[in-house]
Amino acid sequence: MKYIRVAFEGRVPLLFEYKVPPHLQSKIELGQKVVVPFRNQNKFGYIIEELSQSSQRSLKEVVEIVELEPCLSQDLLKLSRWMAEYYFAPMGEILAMMLPQKRVKKLSLRETSPIAPRKEAITLTKEQTEILKRIYKDIRENKFSPYLLLGVTGSGKTEVYIQAIKYLLKINPQKQAIVLVPEISLTPQTVERFERAFGEPVVILHSRLTPGIRYHEWQEAKAGKKRIIIGARSAIFAPVRDLGLVVVDEEHDSSYKQADAPRYHAREVAVMRAKFTNAVVILGSATPSLETFYQVHQGKFKLGELTTRVDNRKLPQVKIISLGSRKSTSNISPFLKNEIAKRVTRGEQCILFLNRRGFFTTFICRECGYVFRCKNCSVALVYHAPERMLLCHYCGFQEAPPQGCPQCKGRRIERLGSGTEKLEEEVKHLFPSAKVQRFDVETTRRKNALENILTAFKNKEIDILIGTQMVTKGLDFPNVTLVGVINADIGLNLPDFRAAERTFQLLTQVAGRAGRGPKGGEVLIQTFNPSHYTLKCAQEHNFKKFYQEESNFRSKLGYPPFSKIIKFEFTGSEEKEVFKKAEEFGKLIEKFKENSNCFFQILGPAPAPIYKVKKKIRYHIILLLPFSSPVENFLREILLKKYFSKKAMVKVDVDPLHLL
Ligand code: ADP
Ligand code: ZN
């Protein structure tokens, strides 16, 4: 290697070229950490590319190689280059995420007692066997094969992942597997299930690990000592030696998208990593993202289906309850009340789902219509009963509830809508003998609170569990025979193109919590939109029908999965300045569009639907473009050269999850 391109850690957008002096030429390798001169001092950098020649004259020389063993494997290096391109992210930012942090001296490791492998032999169902046959073949052939495992809740998807990994490790004991699960499902139960299935310890990776433990776990994965890595989003960067299989469980889950830069989606990254390592990748869900199912339609992903629950347990019956022109302020219709009462008397359990925290959602002045909003953010304040305070869910601002209207001095302040706190109070009042527990961000904040509530629920010490979307995911309690959705319209009415998709996913997932045992189960959905296709499809547990309806709507508007969205966000404290920044950027793109004859849509600059967060004004520009449009090269150019070098003037979000 004669010339190399080097990246520096941090928000350094560009790569820099160096010459390799003759005595280092035989030793130098991609991914190594090196010392190079940079602006009159020596600096650590990472070799990202090799060049056979350089266009630049008078290049500086590499000073030394820090470690002969590359810090980044070849596949991670490829992955980082792909991410930098696809997400318009500075390479240094991606490296900072992929490289293990410094070694820390003191370590308190997870206690590992010897793991007793599970004894009970499982007879796979016909559907499981059929899918695994195809997966085994691809594993044997060592070839990149992406699968969507579409299986209703409780249909034995996890068992398919386990069997696939077993097969991989049987035919090639050197291989390793990465299993991604949504942040919230990374409970001791999940880990235990895997460890017992394999009779060996696994590596666990998530964002709450201390740097020391994280480093230790990375080393175990890197050395190949542990072969199974389970983790949340960032585990996809685990430095495994020889990747054979990647699993993304609940692939539609929004926790796979990173909110801060680089704003990657772990599902997309997982597919690319599998591609670069000729691995099999299994995306599993009962409610896949439209993006993934589109790939199936295009023939790019293979489809495996599990259509029935294990033991032929029936999917729960779903009833839609029209709230019609109901004036009552109660959250619970007489019908739902009656059904809950039955469960309570029979000693069965219920889950009530309301996707809104707090007590009343909004305080509004009856005389002038004034809505009490956060001073820093353009969202309504929410009343929280324990603190007797109005709270902002975006910035934490709080104030005492108003006596009168600050605008018209009127005294008729009305409280609208309700959250889980109000629901809890109501349920306790309606069912005084029942044990009621709220399960949301507030009640699970303390250490171990989440585990404690789930254990109590499992031990039937709780009759009615009330929660936000935390109750929709993964809970597996056979004694739950009723799930009530208090208001299906909350999510449906959001001004966002994914509102229906997200609602369908939530409803289907929460419905899946019912009837997991021999007693069966029932789901009641309360709504003012009883004929909406989203609710109908959720009622029928029919993902494919939902896909048809929803993709019709998306394709008409030219939204994903039929196009790619790039969202640019401009923020600042002065409205004028923010607008000017956004406008300038928008003009650059307009001009490119005129000169290039490229077809794509530019929306904005416009104030974001949530116009202000933490005192910062927000403006958006949204691009809707065909896949691999030349405008992406242009954007990369202006972002890297002009925008990223100055301090975070614009936030870029490729494939944003929402446009709020
Ligand atoms: P999913 O991941 O689709 O929700 P799981 O794999 O967790 O489904 O399976 C649900 C339950 O059924 C689990 O308790 C699991 O151990 C059990 N199970 C899965 N496959 C089988 C099978 N072939 N025979 C018996 N039980 C099974
Ligand atoms: Zn606020």
Side-chain angles (χ1 to χ4, degrees):
M1 251 184 248
K2 284 203 174 138
Y3 302 96
I4 54 171
R5 276 211 181 99
V6 167
F8 299 114
E9 250 183 280
R11 223 184 137 75
V12 185
L14 299 174
L15 301 184
F16 297 87
E17 288 183 18
Y18 291 93
K19 201 162 141 186
V20 183
H23 71 283
L24 292 181
Q25 280 181 12
S26 63
K27 295 184 191 138
I28 211 137
E29 264 186 76
L30 287 177
Q32 277 171 338
K33 187 174 185 178
V34 287
V35 176
V36 289
F38 186 73
R39 294 192 185 135
N40 299 327
Q41 56 178 350
N42 283 346
K43 212 173 145 105
F44 290 127
Y46 299 87
I47 307 176
I48 302 297
E49 277 176 61
E50 71 173 296
L51 305 164
S52 50
Q53 51 190 0
S54 171
S55 53
Q56 293 177 34
R57 260 180 267 156
S58 71
L59 274 184
K60 288 181 189 158
E61 286 194 347
V62 176
V63 179
E64 61 174 331
I65 301 171
V66 180
E67 267 174 73
L68 282 178
E69 183 178 334
C71 296
L72 279 178
S73 60
Q74 301 309 306
D75 78 298
L76 281 177
L77 206 58
K78 256 193 200 167
L79 193 68
S80 62
R81 290 215 297 254
W82 174 79
M83 285 180 73
E85 280 221 344
Y86 188 84
Y87 292 109
F88 304 99
M91 184 58 111
E93 221 166 51
I94 292 166
L95 291 183
M97 219 169 45
M98 286 189 180
L99 293 166
Q101 295 98 335
K102 302 266 148 39
R103 185 189 297 268
V104 181
K105 282 202 192 86
K106 259 209 203 141
L107 265 192
S108 59
L109 290 176
R110 182 167 65 106
E111 276 176 41
T112 45
S113 39
I115 293 156
R118 77 176 179 201
K119 293 198 193 76
E120 69 276 25
I122 276 188
T123 318
L124 295 173
T125 64
K126 228 175 112 193
E127 288 181 323
Q128 285 173 327
T129 310
E130 188 270 333
I131 292 162
L132 281 164
K133 222 167 92 189
R134 292 157 62 200
I135 295 176
Y136 292 166
K137 181 162 178 286
D138 289 332
I139 289 177
R140 280 197 304 275
E141 291 173 2
N142 248 330
K143 107 183 164 196
F144 167 60
S145 331
Y147 280 87
L148 167 63
L149 182 56
L150 172 62
V152 295
T153 47
S155 60
K157 293 185 292 295
T158 310
E159 203 51 47
V160 170
Y161 311 149
I162 289 173
Q163 297 301 329
I165 298 172
K166 276 199 170 164
Y167 186 81
L168 172 81
L169 299 182
K170 194 179 84 189
I171 65 161
N172 190 344
Q174 303 301 320
K175 289 271 182 190
Q176 288 167 293
I178 299 179
V179 179
L180 300 185
V181 295
E183 187 84 47
I184 193 144
S185 354
L186 204 60
T187 54
Q189 288 95 305
T190 313
V191 174
E192 198 189 296
R193 182 168 175 192
F194 275 85
E195 290 192 331
R196 274 168 47 78
F198 294 100
E200 64 182 68
V202 302
V203 167
I204 305 168
L205 288 173
H206 55 79
S207 56
R208 297 179 310 278
L209 295 179
T210 63
I213 295 196
R214 190 179 171 79
Y215 183 82
H216 177 266
E217 299 282 272
W218 276 47
Q219 293 307 317
E220 302 265 288
K222 195 170 179 185
K225 277 192 201 148
K226 289 186 184 164
R227 303 185 293 175
I228 301 153
I229 290 89
I230 301 185
R233 185 174 67 222
S234 63
I236 194 55
F237 304 120
V240 298
R241 284 193 158 196
D242 195 357
L243 189 60
L245 181 69
V246 187
V247 170
V248 184
D249 188 30
E250 307 291 359
E251 65 86 36
H252 63 278
D253 194 275
S254 56
S255 73
Y256 287 127
K257 173 87 174 171
Q258 175 150 295
D260 305 316
R263 296 178 180 80
Y264 69 92
H265 198 299
R267 175 186 64 226
E268 309 302 321
V269 178
V271 171
M272 290 317 285
R273 187 153 190 210
K275 190 172 174 177
F276 294 146
T277 49
N278 296 318
V280 171
V281 52
I282 308 173
L283 314 178
S285 177
T287 53
S289 60
L290 260 73
E291 281 78 0
T292 296
F293 207 70
Y294 178 73
Q295 296 298 336
V296 172
H297 257 219
Q298 299 292 98
K300 300 231 172 90
F301 288 6
K302 301 174 188 179
L303 178 65
E305 280 187 86
L306 298 176
T307 53
T308 54
R309 283 185 161 180
V310 174
D311 290 344
N312 278 323
R313 251 171 247 146
K314 276 203 238 90
L315 280 167
Q317 277 253 342
V318 179
K319 290 205 180 97
I320 296 177
I321 301 174
S322 169
L323 296 175
S325 50
R326 233 167 127 256
K327 279 275 145 46
S328 163
T329 53
S330 166
N331 274 304
I332 295 178
S333 61
F335 192 82
L336 177 57
K337 182 183 161 196
N338 197 19
E339 293 297 318
I340 298 174
K342 279 191 211 160
R343 296 334 192 270
V344 173
T345 358
R346 292 203 296 245
E348 296 168 6
Q349 290 165 295
C350 309
I351 292 177
L352 299 180
F353 167 58
L354 177 60
N355 210 6
R356 199 146 60 181
R357 289 189 286 139
F359 205 83
F360 297 106
T361 356
T362 29
F363 277 51
I364 180 167
C365 170
R366 263 304 198 186
E367 296 179 16
C368 72
Y370 179 84
V371 176
F372 289 75
R373 291 178 194 279
C374 173
K375 289 189 170 62
N376 311 320
C377 314
S378 58
V379 295
L381 292 167
V382 179
Y383 182 63
H384 282 245
E387 299 91 357
R388 300 196 181 169
M389 278 295 193
L390 285 168
L391 221 79
C392 171
H393 284 179
Y394 279 78
C395 73
F397 167 82
Q398 43 180 296
E399 67 181 8
Q403 298 300 316
C405 172
Q407 190 164 277
C408 73
K409 306 284 181 270
R411 307 293 287 181
R412 286 176 57 211
I413 306 296
E414 189 165 331
R415 303 156 167 203
L416 290 181
S418 43
T420 44
E421 282 179 20
K422 167 105 187 302
L423 179 62
E424 180 188 13
E425 194 183 87
E426 214 177 317
V427 171
K428 279 182 172 161
H429 180 75
L430 286 175
F431 308 99
S433 67
K435 277 155 286 170
V436 180
Q437 173 67 51
R438 187 154 54 86
F439 188 58
D440 57 21
V441 181
E442 268 94 31
T443 61
T444 54
R445 193 166 284 147
R446 270 175 300 118
K447 199 168 183 244
N448 298 332
L450 191 141
E451 283 81 8
N452 292 343
I453 294 178
L454 292 181
T455 308
F457 197 51
K458 188 175 170 189
N459 297 338
K460 303 184 193 172
E461 289 153 22
I462 295 167
D463 299 308
I464 305 172
L465 190 70
I466 293 176
T468 52
Q469 52 176 309
M470 286 175 75
V471 299
T472 63
K473 296 179 188 176
L475 305 187
D476 187 3
F477 299 104
N479 195 43
V480 173
T481 59
L482 177 70
V483 165
V485 176
I486 301 301
N487 183 346
D489 309 330
I490 295 178
L492 220 43
N493 294 337
L494 281 178
D496 191 81
F497 76 97
R498 281 187 223 267
E501 181 180 8
R502 212 169 292 125
T503 300
F504 177 78
Q505 290 166 350
L506 276 175
L507 292 180
T508 310
Q509 297 288 340
V510 75
R513 302 310 117 211
R516 295 175 82 93
K519 290 177 213 153
E522 206 179 354
V523 181
L524 300 179
I525 299 178
Q526 303 192 128
T527 176
F528 286 98
N529 294 298
S531 56
H532 199 288
Y533 64 88
T534 302
L535 304 191
K536 291 265 185 225
C537 295
Q539 180 177 32
E540 295 165 17
H541 306 282
N542 194 338
F543 168 75
K544 287 184 182 167
K545 189 167 160 192
F546 175 74
Y547 178 83
Q548 283 308 333
E549 295 270 2
E550 183 64 9
S551 59
N552 262 339
F553 156 75
R554 299 272 185 96
S555 73
K556 269 184 207 137
L557 294 175
Y559 277 129
F562 303 95
S563 66
K564 178 168 172 178
I565 289 190
I566 306 176
K567 179 172 93 172
F568 299 95
E569 184 182 313
F570 302 83
T571 56
S573 28
E574 289 290 327
E575 157 113 40
K576 256 194 204 150
E577 270 172 43
V578 178
F579 178 73
K580 210 177 116 205
K581 271 199 281 185
E583 199 188 25
E584 244 169 51
F585 190 79
K587 277 191 180 143
L588 284 175
I589 302 174
E590 293 277 2
K591 207 165 139 199
F592 172 84
K593 190 176 170 182
E594 276 165 31
N595 295 339
S596 69
N597 280 327
C598 260
F599 174 75
F600 59 92
Q601 279 188 71
I602 310 172
L603 310 177
I610 298 172
Y611 166 66
K612 202 162 76 171
V613 174
K614 298 182 187 171
K615 285 191 177 159
K616 291 259 183 340
I617 312 283
R618 305 164 74 227
Y619 266 79
H620 282 172
I621 292 179
I622 286 158
L623 300 190
L624 282 169
L625 41 135
F627 300 105
S628 38
S629 159
V631 71
E632 291 190 46
N633 289 330
F634 170 74
L635 290 169
R636 211 162 283 128
E637 177 103 8
I638 57 171
L639 287 169
L640 289 183
K641 295 229 168 102
K642 245 179 112 168
Y643 278 80
F644 287 159
S645 44
K646 295 172 205 163
K647 257 188 272 159
M649 291 180 61
V650 54
K651 283 188 197 162
V652 185
D653 193 349
V654 176
D655 306 333
L657 282 194
H658 56 75
L659 304 179
L660 294 178

